Amino acid sequence: MKGLSLVVAFMVLFLMLVLIVVPAFILFNELGAYSSQGKVQGSIYLEQQKYQNKLVFSGDPFIYYQDVVYKQNSKTYVIPTLFFNYTATPYIPLNISYIYGYNGSSWVVVYSNIIIAGNTTLPLPSNTQQVLIITSLGNMYFFNSPGERIGA
């Protein structure tokens, strides 16, 4: 009987070695490859952010925040509006995660998850004072008052 318990003990020890030590060894040897993939992905993301900023600040799309005034039945209405005008073709879409509007007391989500793929006009709520655009790449564009613009 004593000889049998020794064999069982070695089997358990061998099983632990195979199930724990070997996968751990493989995992620790592969961490370098996963780390370099993450660094490459991070640098690509930063390059995309920079490229998007370059396009927007050069006027593609040209973004401006303007009050649109119109009259109807002898009443005057003022609608704050965002305009996106592309100057080059083909259009490179601008993926916007959120457009926030400040209404005097708090920031409110006005639009979310939209893609600007051409000349676009977006009306805002009438009490909007300031506008913050957050793109899917994390770039933020802020408009303090109507009449401000970004781009050439």
Side-chain angles (χ1 to χ4, degrees), residues 32-121:
Y34 296 129
S35 176
S36 66
Q37 286 176 355
K39 288 178 185 173
V40 168
Q41 196 66 22
S43 69
I44 291 171
Y45 182 79
L46 289 175
E47 288 300 316
Q48 287 178 330
Q49 268 188 323
K50 289 177 188 175
Y51 184 65
Q52 185 181 61
N53 269 336
K54 178 184 169 191
L55 286 175
V56 169
F57 287 119
S58 67
D60 200 26
F62 175 69
I63 307 170
Y64 57 101
Y65 172 41
Q66 187 81 27
D67 279 340
V68 175
V69 179
Y70 73 95
K71 292 185 178 185
Q72 183 179 18
N73 297 333
S74 72
K75 286 191 175 183
T76 302
Y77 297 95
V78 177
I79 305 288
T81 307
L82 275 175
F83 296 93
F84 297 85
N85 290 333
Y86 280 87
T87 56
T89 53
Y91 302 135
I92 296 176
L94 182 64
N95 295 332
I96 296 177
S97 295
Y98 297 101
I99 296 178
Y100 288 97
Y102 186 71
N103 61 13
S105 61
S106 64
W107 288 95
V108 179
V109 176
V110 180
Y111 292 99
S112 64
N113 299 321
I114 59 173
I115 298 174
I116 306 297
N119 295 338
T120 305
T121 302

